[in-house]
Amino acid sequence: MEQPQNEVTAKLTVPQTATGTRPGSQPRPQAGATVFDLDKVSVYYGAFRAVTEVSMNIHENEITAFIGPSGCGKTTVLRSLNRMNDLIPGARVEGKIRYRGAGLYDVQASPTAVRRRIGMVFQKANPFPKSIYDNIAYGPRINGIRSKSRLDEIVETSLRHAALWDEVKDRLGKSGLGLSGGQAQRLCIARTLAVEPDVVLMDEPCSALDPIATGRIEDLMQEIKSRYTIVIVTHNMQQATRVSDRTAFFSVLRNEQPGRSDTRTGVLVEYDRTVNIFDNPRDERTQAYVTGRMG
Amino acid sequence: MAGTAVNPGRQSVPDLREPAGWRRAKNQIMTGLMGLAFLIIVVPLVLVLYLVVQKGIGAISWQFLSGPIPPNVMPLGFNGSGMGPAVVGTLEITGFAALMAIPLGVLGAVYINEYGGRSMLSRVISFMADVMTGVPSVVMGLFIYTIWVLHFGYSGLAGSFALACLMLPIIIRSSFEMLRLVPDNLRQGSYALGATKSRVTLTVVLPAAVGGIVSGCLLAVARAAGETAPLLFTILTVESTNTNLFSGANTALSAQIFANATSPYVGAEARAWGAALTLIVIAFVLMIVARIITARFTRYSR
Amino acid sequence: MSTVVKAGPAHAAGPAHPLAHRRPLGDRGFALLALIAGLLVLVILVLIAVSTAQQSANWFSSVGLSGFFSATWNVSANKFGPMAFVYGTVISSIIALIISVPVSIGISLLLTEVLPRRVARPIVYVIDLLAVVPSVVWGLWGILILVPWLQKIYGDIASGVKGIPVLDSLFGGPNTSGASFFTAGIILAIMITPIITSLSREVIATVPSIDKEGAYALGATRWEMIRGAVWPHSQGGVVGAILIGLGRAMGETIAAALVIGDSPEVTSHLFYSGFSMPAAIALEFGEASGEFRSALIGIGLLLFVITLVVNLFARVIVERSARKMRGA
């Protein structure tokens, strides 16, 4: 059985069955295990502080939503969870982010290893200009899986998990670029699932989609939540109430330096179970946002 | 951070180290190869520049740049000789070529971008202008030979025609790129004030793109100044200064370098290096000026 | 935008429509001038074909089809078969491509994907410097420095591969010469690298960064990202860039003329002297007359047609791939 020989992971092994369960993984730890532990995390782009002192815990097998007005750092925090901000010159992270106890930004931690475990779905679907099959197989291939039968299995599994299999099973060789918006996004989700990540980050995945496609993806999120931890940035508050277990509300830091109006530093205002955030928020800013008076 | 065996009920800390082994190695090898590629190409450049400077600098002097060209057998510097006629020739032939090619080239770009629009003719012209940049310089020389020299004899003018044909598509292409970058709302604003199309183009569009257009033209001139082949068939390399562009054979630095490169006489080599240095300096100066113009005066860039 | 003269309702002797305005002569004149300038491109191309065809008709008719495909070029015997020159052009250009393509692609990837902007910019200037050096200077350096230096190296290689089957016919002696197909290939490679690099860079730079992020987000290394996200997008454009470089190599006259040697022979020995189409025209034209001259012009026409076709092909490929990317 092929196991990527470079992976010395604790709980993640390539599955051996086609059903998509992960028999190599241990029995579920108690619900609520911490996947991410953010401790006073600030993210800078050069001299500009995009978000300041975020502290929160993200829990396993939950859907956590980041909401808040534009420009207050939600996507910045999301991207720092899989070190995508490393791609931006001048970006740096202060504070500590632990992923299941391991320091995400430790010197010996490698971004490629991080991203293998923490996948990301983008706002605008970005299928590669390859066939549907090759899109999905890309991730496993770079991790060393070459056998066609294994890849076939993985492709089918991932497409089933992304609720796309029935629609494309007869045209796996066709280009991924020919899919509709909603299908393309599900393709990207399937592609992400194909590498068997632990966490799936989603940056406004439905913002470019119509309501029906949005609904299908939201259903998808509920289905896969038992196997993955999901963090989603969304502008759509109804979506947050529909899908998420916990919600983090971000806003802009109150006027730190009057006169410097072009620098908006984001701050985490409140983080709680979704029902509390929306029905019974503790902070007045949260209250103002969720009742529509702000943002 | 060692995460190895799985203990049910106990969660191990994941190992986030580099996916070691072949993946990282391949990445590093590829990056190394790319760096090597750059070194490979830098070496000849450095060599050429170093040699040209080293061997040519000895020959350069005011006398070299202005003195008459000696008969071949004479060593460099004999009797106050130099490359004067060639310098004059390069300047006047290239200058006149620029005088023809620049207005025509810019106008051609104006046609394609401002007037032609999406019409078939304009797309054909644009495509063919691109294709024309690939016509070998020797073909241009032959062309002017057959169409002009056979009827009117060798002259600097013929050389200018040949160089202008070379420069034309280059100038069309670079000017077109610059015109395309001028935002449309500038044009709209001018139309809204009741200006005619020619006025809009001349008073608003061209001035907005002038930085980029000028620098593109300078680069085309630099290229033309260094061309040899078109001149071989049109100016009939001679040794004396000919300020009359329109009649009689002429000479140029590039042609002289070529002639001296194959000449077995003593002193020819030194002359060739000296002329080469002069030519390179001219080309570099034009290029640097073009860069400065791009940096300072170009309002709209990609 | 000019307003059209409005044909208002017929008024016998009344005033013209208040908004009527004849398009001024200057405006129409300018438009005409621009059109003429544009058409000049087509006119020149056609004239090139026509005038060279005319001047070489003499040779074409006398050489016939069989003579055209012969490689026998013997001036005194009035034999003007051009194939030796075609061969030399093709061989030296292929050698140039083999050397230049990996180098150019490597550099363009280095500049677009690996190096940060600040470091990449001076390197782009260096490449531009390379492009500005006139071809005759490359030729001068080639014939005075490179050729003597390579002469000895070729000799050593030739004695080294003596007797080994394929290698001997490619790199063997005994008539190796510093001025040879291979040397021409080297010089041509140096000269076409800047253009292939800069065109490839343009193509690679248009790959949408969101695609690259998608690959990184799957845990790809940079090289894997290039293979998965960048290359499929840019391969068409890069192929076009390579073809344009090929056209440039085939048409390069002076540098090749100085270092390729001057023997119109068809031989597999890459270290032997050869000849190329543009080199032949440049070097032989001076003393040529009559059918000789006509033959040289004919070769020029041949060169024109070949480079035209290569460039047409290249531009079509580049256009097609650019359109595909815009559509995606």
Side-chain angles (χ1 to χ4, degrees):
Chain A
M1 210 339 95
E2 258 161 289
Q3 177 162 336
Q5 63 264 45
N6 9 349
E7 297 289 319
V8 188
T9 56
K11 59 194 279 287
L12 301 174
T13 56
V14 178
Q16 319 215 347
T17 73
T19 61
T21 58
R22 294 188 294 184
S25 62
Q26 63 206 56
R28 297 260 146 267
Q30 63 280 25
T34 299
V35 173
F36 286 107
D37 172 10
L38 280 74
D39 185 18
K40 290 212 174 52
V41 172
S42 300
V43 181
Y44 291 80
Y45 295 122
F48 169 55
R49 183 162 55 160
V51 80
T52 178
E53 308 232 325
V54 173
S55 298
M56 63 191 296
N57 286 358
I58 295 182
H59 300 281
E60 190 170 35
N61 298 132
E62 288 187 355
I63 299 181
T64 306
F66 290 178
I67 63 172
S70 307
C72 56
K74 315 188 289 296
T75 300
T76 302
V77 174
L78 189 79
R79 287 170 63 106
S80 60
L81 293 179
N82 70 344
R83 295 191 63 167
M84 284 299 278
N85 282 334
D86 287 13
L87 299 176
I88 300 176
R92 77 175 188 281
V93 169
E94 282 180 7
K96 191 102 177 145
I97 303 183
R98 276 193 211 287
Y99 163 65
R100 293 191 184 279
L104 210 58
Y105 285 82
D106 286 356
V107 169
Q108 59 271 54
S110 127
T112 43
V114 165
R115 294 173 196 143
R116 162 76 178 57
R117 291 168 173 74
I118 305 170
M120 180 172 256
V121 175
F122 296 82
Q123 190 170 345
K124 187 168 173 300
N126 52 0
F128 299 133
K130 299 169 183 254
S131 69
I132 294 177
Y133 185 97
D134 286 332
N135 260 281
I136 314 257
Y138 176 78
R141 275 196 183 117
I142 62 180
N143 280 295
I145 300 178
R146 298 250 170 250
S147 108
K148 179 135 188 358
S149 54
R150 273 306 284 122
L151 289 172
D152 286 350
E153 243 180 80
I154 294 179
V155 167
E156 179 173 344
T157 305
S158 315
L159 284 170
R160 280 191 191 282
H161 283 177
L164 192 59
W165 174 251
D166 288 320
E167 288 167 58
V168 301
K169 64 177 179 239
D170 297 321
R171 46 182 175 128
L172 292 178
K174 290 277 163 64
S175 166
L177 298 177
L179 297 172
S180 74
Q183 289 174 323
Q185 191 63 299
R186 274 178 286 149
L187 175 67
C188 293
I189 294 176
R191 182 175 74 188
T192 307
L193 297 182
V195 297
E196 287 282 322
D198 183 26
V199 177
V200 178
L201 306 176
M202 297 190 168
D203 186 4
E204 301 192 43
C206 302
S207 62
L209 302 179
D210 63 73
I212 298 185
T214 300
R216 299 186 73 165
I217 293 194
E218 288 178 7
D219 293 341
L220 180 59
M221 287 167 62
Q222 299 283 25
E223 276 166 36
I224 66 177
K225 140 175 127 166
S226 59
R227 282 188 290 269
Y228 306 92
T229 303
I230 299 180
V231 183
I232 172 171
V233 165
T234 179
H235 265 136
N236 185 336
M237 281 190 287
Q238 284 71 29
Q239 181 171 76
T241 55
R242 282 194 296 268
V243 308
S244 68
D245 301 300
R246 279 181 221 262
T247 299
F249 170 63
F250 291 81
S251 181
V252 177
L253 194 62
R254 261 193 276 260
N255 216 1
E256 41 175 346
Q257 267 177 332
R260 290 191 59 190
S261 57
D262 57 326
T263 57
R264 292 154 56 95
T265 300
V267 64
L268 173 63
V269 173
E270 192 171 342
Y271 174 56
D272 200 343
R273 293 201 175 275
T274 302
V275 284
N276 294 342
I277 291 280
F278 284 92
D279 292 343
N280 200 6
R282 267 170 300 176
D283 192 299
E284 58 172 11
R285 288 173 289 176
T286 319
Q287 169 92 339
Y289 183 75
V290 302
T291 55
R293 282 208 309 264
M294 184 249 280
Chain B
M1 258 168 280
T4 45
V6 168
N7 251 336
R10 192 180 88 85
Q11 198 177 327
S12 314
V13 172
D15 181 355
L16 293 181
R17 281 177 307 192
E18 194 77 56
W22 54 275
R23 278 179 71 193
R24 177 163 65 158
K26 196 148 76 142
N27 194 38
Q28 287 175 330
I29 291 176
M30 283 304 162
T31 309
L33 285 179
M34 292 183 213
L36 185 65
F38 175 64
L39 287 177
I40 290 180
I41 207 61
V42 156
V43 164
L45 177 67
V46 166
L47 280 178
V48 153
L49 290 182
Y50 174 69
L51 280 168
V52 168
V53 169
Q54 184 204 33
K55 290 182 183 279
I57 199 82
I60 297 291
S61 61
W62 180 246
Q63 170 197 314
F64 180 77
L65 292 175
S66 58
I69 298 179
N72 264 325
V73 290
M74 297 306 163
L76 184 69
F78 175 77
N79 217 8
S81 63
M83 277 281 157
V87 173
V88 169
T90 294
L91 291 177
E92 63 181 1
I93 296 175
T94 314
F96 195 71
L99 219 56
M100 290 189 282
I102 292 181
L104 286 173
V106 173
L107 267 177
V110 161
Y111 170 74
I112 299 175
N113 197 50
E114 310 290 324
Y115 287 88
R118 304 247 79 212
S119 76
M120 179 59 114
L121 180 63
S122 131
R123 276 187 293 162
V124 166
I125 291 182
S126 169
F127 185 73
M128 282 322 221
D130 282 349
V131 167
M132 191 175 164
T133 60
V135 174
S137 53
V138 66
V139 170
M140 288 303 186
L142 271 185
F143 167 54
I144 298 295
Y145 174 79
T146 57
I147 215 176
W148 182 270
V149 173
L150 280 183
H151 306 292
F152 301 106
Y154 294 99
S155 65
L157 181 65
S160 296
F161 281 145
L163 289 184
C165 285
L166 267 186
M167 292 168 66
L168 184 68
I170 302 176
I171 295 181
I172 291 183
R173 181 130 181 268
S174 71
S175 306
F176 169 71
E177 294 290 332
M178 290 297 129
L179 289 176
R180 210 153 62 122
L181 291 172
V182 175
D184 210 34
N185 53 20
L186 246 67
R187 296 181 183 83
Q188 303 290 332
S190 183
Y191 284 132
L193 293 168
T196 57
K197 192 163 198 163
S198 59
R199 179 155 287 206
V200 170
T201 308
L202 287 169
T203 60
V204 170
V205 179
L206 281 177
V210 74
I213 290 181
V214 167
S215 91
C217 291
L218 284 179
L219 290 173
V221 170
R223 164 111 184 254
E227 284 291 343
T228 317
L231 301 180
L232 292 179
F233 307 93
T234 51
I235 65 174
L236 192 64
T237 313
V238 291
E239 257 79 62
S240 52
T241 311
N242 184 354
T243 44
N244 184 354
L245 195 59
F246 296 89
S247 87
N250 214 318
T251 185
L253 280 170
S254 49
Q256 284 297 325
I257 300 176
F258 184 58
N260 277 304
T262 47
S263 156
Y265 298 110
V266 109
E269 201 181 304
R271 274 197 288 274
W273 288 116
L277 181 58
T278 314
L279 198 54
I280 282 197
V281 166
I282 294 179
F284 274 17
V285 163
L286 285 171
M287 186 183 114
I288 292 176
V289 172
R291 291 248 166 266
I292 295 179
I293 293 183
T294 303
R296 294 266 201 91
F297 297 101
T298 311
R299 213 173 300 162
Y300 303 104
S301 53
R302 259 170 282 190
Chain C
M1 223 149 333
S2 50
T3 50
V4 172
V5 176
K6 280 206 161 176
H11 273 165
H17 191 287
L19 288 178
H21 177 59
R22 179 160 296 203
R23 192 170 164 193
L25 201 58
D27 190 50
R28 277 187 297 175
F30 185 77
L32 190 62
L33 216 57
L35 176 64
I36 292 178
L39 287 175
L40 206 55
V41 166
L42 303 178
V43 164
I44 292 180
L45 286 174
V46 166
L47 276 181
I48 293 178
V50 164
S51 66
T52 50
Q54 211 178 26
Q55 289 297 323
S56 56
N58 177 9
W59 171 66
F60 273 119
S61 58
S62 80
V63 82
L65 206 59
S66 62
F68 185 74
F69 284 106
S70 105
T72 316
W73 181 270
N74 190 333
V75 179
S76 43
N78 249 22
K79 287 241 172 289
F80 298 114
M83 280 300 139
F85 305 118
V86 176
Y87 175 79
T89 298
V90 168
I91 286 291
S92 54
S93 304
I94 291 181
I95 296 176
L97 277 190
I98 293 179
I99 300 175
S100 170
V101 166
V103 170
S104 302
I105 296 185
I107 298 179
S108 34
L109 284 175
L110 189 74
L111 291 173
T112 49
E113 300 301 332
V114 176
L115 295 176
R117 286 276 299 274
R118 258 181 311 146
V119 179
R121 220 172 311 144
I123 296 190
V124 171
Y125 285 179
V126 167
I127 309 283
D128 287 343
L129 275 184
L130 206 68
V132 157
V133 174
S135 63
V136 66
V137 174
W138 285 118
L140 185 70
W141 174 71
I143 192 175
L144 291 182
I145 309 285
L146 199 61
V147 162
W149 182 64
L150 284 177
Q151 176 104 357
K152 179 173 183 312
I153 295 184
Y154 289 159
D156 292 342
I157 297 182
S159 42
V161 299
K162 196 166 182 165
I164 309 177
V166 170
L167 290 181
D168 194 8
S169 37
L170 276 182
F171 300 116
N175 297 326
T176 61
S177 150
S180 60
F181 296 111
F182 201 81
T183 316
I186 295 178
I187 294 263
L188 289 176
I190 299 177
M191 295 179 67
I192 65 176
T193 297
I195 180 95
I196 300 183
T197 305
S198 97
L199 287 177
S200 301
R201 259 185 58 230
E202 275 180 27
V203 169
I204 294 177
T206 60
V207 173
S209 59
I210 192 176
D211 281 48
K212 300 194 234 180
E213 291 197 339
Y216 277 132
L218 290 167
T221 60
R222 180 172 48 226
W223 173 246
E224 287 157 355
M225 182 280 293
I226 292 177
R227 278 187 60 195
V230 168
W231 187 245
H233 273 306
S234 46
Q235 60 189 35
V238 168
V239 167
I242 293 174
L243 285 177
I244 291 179
L246 174 65
R248 206 47 92 75
M250 295 206 290
E252 174 46 51
T253 313
I254 292 303
L258 289 173
V259 304
I260 200 171
D262 56 7
S263 73
E265 297 287 330
V266 175
T267 165
S268 69
H269 293 265
L270 298 176
F271 292 157
Y272 280 16
S273 272
F275 228 148
S276 77
M277 286 190 277
I281 303 173
L283 292 175
E284 307 285 306
F285 203 75
E287 270 97 54
S289 64
E291 196 186 341
F292 188 13
R293 174 163 285 191
S294 176
L296 288 176
I297 298 183
I299 293 178
L301 177 58
L302 191 58
L303 184 65
F304 176 61
V305 167
I306 294 180
T307 50
L308 203 71
V309 165
V310 168
N311 269 282
L312 265 168
F313 203 48
R315 295 281 167 191
V316 164
I317 292 185
V318 169
E319 242 322 281
R320 191 107 57 85
S321 92
R323 220 177 307 143
K324 242 197 322 171
M325 263 210 287
R326 279 198 294 265

